[in-house]
Amino acid sequence: MSWAAIAIAAWLGGWAANIWLARRAGRPVRFLVPAIFGVSLLVIWEGLVRGLEVPSVILPAPTAISGAFMSSLPILWADFVQTVIRSVLPGYAMGCGAAFLTAIAIDRSPFLQRGLLPMGNLAAALPIVGIAPIMVMWFGFDWQSKAAVVVVMCFFPMLVNTIEGLRMAEPMQRDLMRTYAAGYGQTLLKLRLPAAGPFIFNGLKICTTLALIGAIVAEFFGTPTVGMGFRISTEIGRMALDTVWAEIAVAALAGSAFYGLVTLVERTVTHWHPSIRG
């Protein structure tokens, strides 16, 4: 059987299996459907690349990518530590934390609502390819400049989502808090922040992907000889597309795990909200 026929058979088999599973219910089915879809996609990819004899410099086969992944584990781990642990996580924490505090200050001050928020919307449109080299010039070639780019990438989406969430408490609920003689702090902690929870976590989830993208792109403009962005740009120059795809796989796994962790925290913290209960 040719590789093209294997790809077609994998597509038909995966399609039929997912249609059959979609009619069933239960937690295992929710995991089986995307798993079967992903495996069938990899088989189709492998079959088409081999059957059509696509050059590896254009698109390597999944088996070649997995081979490069296994043979480069120490390098991939060092790149992961440099990009995710040293750049993404500190920048994410600083950017989202600063945006959260700024959102509360804007909510408290009408002056900041009219002055800072429009400037924030303008700054959110700044291109990362313009910010990254400036941050490298300001903070140097090590992780600090990448963390600074991550701060800029995360700040404004988190700011906008938090401000919008703080507006979600209904006027009747605020009037009830005033009836109980609750001050701004008590109203904020007991009413407005819980009501804003889904919006805050929405901003946190958006920033998980933006933080990783920002750090990787920033490494294109100057970094020590380690990091996902550095490795991708270097291996592209060497035409080692299998290693590039291995780095992309590591980035995808790291981003998915980060997003899933924030989602898990959201379900734990806001378990009472109708969107979570549903």
Side-chain angles (χ1 to χ4, degrees):
M1 183 183 293
S2 66
W3 283 103
I6 292 175
I8 295 173
W11 175 67
L12 293 175
W15 185 279
N18 280 335
I19 290 177
W20 182 80
L21 287 171
R23 298 170 182 169
R24 272 68 185 169
R27 184 178 295 270
V29 173
R30 292 188 348 208
F31 293 99
L32 277 175
V33 171
I36 293 174
F37 182 84
V39 170
S40 60
L41 183 63
L42 290 177
V43 175
I44 293 170
W45 182 353
E46 183 83 22
L48 291 178
V49 168
R50 290 182 178 272
L52 300 177
E53 298 181 352
V54 179
S56 60
V57 295
I58 296 178
L59 182 64
T63 51
I65 296 171
S66 62
F69 186 95
M70 298 305 298
S71 62
S72 305
L73 281 177
I75 296 175
L76 295 175
W77 173 251
D79 293 339
F80 171 82
V81 171
Q82 174 69 21
T83 302
V84 177
I85 305 300
R86 301 187 65 188
S87 300
V88 171
L89 294 183
Y92 179 85
M94 289 186 289
C96 293
F100 179 79
L101 297 176
T102 305
I104 294 177
I106 290 176
D107 178 75
R108 182 66 170 164
S109 171
F111 170 74
L112 293 178
Q113 291 178 10
R114 299 186 182 95
L116 182 59
L117 191 56
M119 293 298 298
N121 294 330
L122 176 64
L126 294 176
I128 183 176
V129 293
I131 297 173
I134 295 174
M135 294 301 173
V136 171
M137 294 297 294
W138 284 0
F139 298 100
F141 289 92
D142 208 349
W143 64 269
Q144 292 89 345
S145 58
K146 287 64 184 180
V149 173
V150 173
V151 169
V152 175
M153 292 286 291
C154 293
F155 183 84
F156 297 105
M158 184 66 186
L159 177 69
V160 171
N161 277 275
T162 304
I163 291 174
E164 188 64 28
L166 290 173
R167 297 171 178 168
M168 285 298 103
E170 297 180 2
M172 185 177 297
Q173 295 172 329
R174 299 187 190 186
D175 291 341
L176 180 62
M177 294 297 291
R178 283 193 291 268
T179 302
Y180 291 152
Y184 177 82
Q186 290 177 312
T187 304
L188 181 68
L189 292 175
K190 297 182 178 180
L191 172 63
R192 303 186 67 200
L193 283 180
F199 287 84
I200 294 173
F201 277 102
N202 185 54
L204 290 173
K205 289 187 290 186
I206 292 173
C207 290
T208 57
T209 54
L210 292 179
L212 189 59
I213 293 171
I216 291 175
V217 173
E219 288 178 345
F220 290 168
F221 296 93
T223 184
T225 57
V226 66
M228 292 182 179
F230 168 80
R231 195 71 54 197
I232 290 173
S233 62
T234 302
E235 298 303 324
I236 281 287
R238 297 173 52 198
M239 296 297 180
L241 269 295
D242 51 356
T243 304
V244 172
W245 278 96
E247 287 284 356
I248 293 173
V250 172
L253 292 173
S256 299
F258 195 9
Y259 185 93
L261 179 60
V262 175
T263 302
L264 182 62
V265 175
E266 178 188 18
R267 289 183 174 274
T268 303
V269 174
T270 62
H271 59 88
W272 51 269
H273 196 269
S275 63
I276 302 300
R277 293 204 310 266

